[in-house]
């Protein structure tokens, strides 16, 4: 099957990247099978699941694959699905899990707001009667139940995920370091980056790294009376 699909950078950024050895193993499995067994999930020609497989396919165009078209009302709903899908299928670091929970919550809030605004502009009273707009508290509770966490955890995960994205925008590459656990800044320190003015964020990101370095050095320094 020859089909041109689109990779949306925002969609792909929600998916924890495979380690180099995992990606290599996936490529070997595909080549050995001569076909991509699981279909790529797409929405209007945009990949929502299967980015790694598609990149491998671009290097081996003779490999056969299939797609499955999934419907979403808007891109926020698609992002929420991507996060939820990853939460249910991957071995994740605690940081990756927290990031995905936060991103799912953020996406669902935006989806509800977007749809609510659409309905309100068309018919305000009908929107109120039908209840299209789900309250953030209900969304938070449901996600907490789905992920077996708490509403407080979901709220903190939301702030953490916004901080991770703000840090990545300021200093590309830091997101991978945080989510893989290469550095382990506090949740509060990460969340604070999103609250800071854009011009202050690069310095705050460097503080995350320097704090980590100091911590490691102190751990390695032998205690003396």
């Amino acid at each position: 099957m020859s089909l041109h699909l689109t990779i949306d950078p925002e969609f792909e950024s929600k998916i924890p990247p495979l380690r180099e050895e995992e990606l290599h193993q996936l490529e070997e499995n595909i080549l050995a099978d001569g076909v991509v067994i699981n279909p790529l999930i797409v929405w209007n020609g945009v990949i929502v699941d299967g980015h790694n497989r598609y990149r491998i396919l671009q290097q081996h165009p003779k490999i056969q694959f299939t797609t499955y078209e999934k419907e979403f009302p808007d891109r926020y709903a698609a992002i929420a699905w991507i996060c939820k899908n990853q939460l249910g299928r991957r071995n994740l670091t605690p940081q990756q899990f927290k990031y995905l929970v936060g991103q799912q919550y953020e996406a669902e809030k935006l989806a509800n707001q977007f749809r609510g605004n659409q309905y309100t502009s068309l018919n305000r009273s009908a929107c109120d009667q039908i209840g299209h707009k789900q309250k953030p508290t209900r969304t938070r509770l449901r996600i907490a139940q789905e992920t077996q966490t708490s509403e407080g955890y979901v709220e903190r995960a939301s702030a953490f995920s916004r901080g991770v994205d703000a840090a990545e925008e300021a200093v590309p590459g830091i997101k991978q370091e945080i989510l893989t656990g290469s550095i382990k800044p506090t949740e509060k320190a990460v969340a604070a980056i999103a609250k800071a003015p854009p011009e202050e964020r690069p310095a705050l990101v460097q503080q995350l790294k320097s704090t980590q370095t100091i911590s490691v050095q102190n751990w390695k320094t032998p205690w003396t009376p």
Side-chain angles (χ1 to χ4, degrees):
M1 178 179 183
S2 177
L3 181 66
H4 177 71
L5 302 175
T6 300
I7 291 179
D8 183 301
E10 186 178 14
F11 288 1
E12 187 177 25
S13 72
K14 309 307 176 189
I15 300 174
L18 294 177
R19 297 192 304 271
E20 187 176 344
E21 59 270 24
E22 291 176 322
L23 190 60
H24 180 68
Q25 186 62 58
L26 176 62
E27 183 175 18
E28 284 193 344
N29 293 345
I30 289 174
L31 293 176
D33 292 334
V35 63
V36 175
I37 296 174
N38 295 320
L40 308 183
I41 311 299
V42 300
W43 172 50
N44 296 331
V46 180
I47 299 173
V48 293
D49 183 63
H51 296 84
N52 292 307
R53 282 168 282 159
Y54 186 63
R55 292 191 185 281
I56 291 171
L57 285 165
Q58 289 178 308
Q59 299 177 31
H60 306 280
K62 292 184 179 180
I63 297 291
Q64 296 295 305
F65 70 99
T66 59
T67 62
Y68 176 81
E69 183 74 29
K70 194 165 181 64
E71 294 296 325
F72 298 103
D74 51 65
R75 68 181 290 106
Y76 305 119
I79 290 173
W81 182 89
I82 290 169
C83 295
K84 187 173 181 179
N85 188 48
Q86 291 298 311
L87 283 166
R89 69 184 291 188
R90 294 282 303 278
N91 291 325
L92 303 167
T93 66
Q95 296 87 349
Q96 289 170 336
F97 181 86
K98 186 182 299 178
Y99 176 78
L100 287 168
V101 170
Q103 286 292 292
Q104 180 185 345
Y105 180 46
E106 287 296 306
E108 291 201 26
K109 284 195 299 181
L110 287 170
N112 290 331
Q113 180 181 346
F114 178 72
R115 275 172 253 158
N117 289 341
Q118 275 191 319
Y119 291 125
T120 300
S121 63
L122 291 173
N123 188 333
R124 190 176 191 84
S125 61
C127 174
D128 294 337
Q129 290 173 2
I130 300 172
H132 286 293
K133 212 173 176 182
Q134 187 176 16
K135 292 182 178 179
T137 51
R138 294 180 182 176
T139 302
R140 187 170 62 235
L141 174 60
R142 177 176 51 75
I143 292 176
Q145 292 171 338
E146 290 174 355
T147 56
Q148 298 181 345
T149 59
S150 66
E151 289 189 71
Y153 178 92
V154 175
E155 192 68 45
R156 293 192 305 273
S158 174
F160 174 79
S161 72
R162 293 196 303 272
V164 169
D165 284 348
E168 177 68 14
E169 185 176 346
V171 181
I174 192 65
K175 176 180 176 180
Q176 177 75 344
E177 293 187 58
I178 296 172
L179 297 188
T180 58
S182 297
I183 63 172
K184 296 182 179 179
T186 65
E187 184 181 275
K188 186 176 180 180
V190 174
I193 295 174
K195 299 175 183 178
E199 63 273 14
E200 296 179 11
R201 292 174 182 175
L204 291 175
V205 173
Q206 292 306 319
Q207 286 181 23
L208 296 184
K209 291 187 173 186
S210 61
T211 301
Q212 179 72 16
T213 301
I214 293 171
S215 176
V216 171
Q217 288 175 344
N218 289 341
W219 178 78
K220 288 184 176 180
T221 302
W223 178 83
T224 55

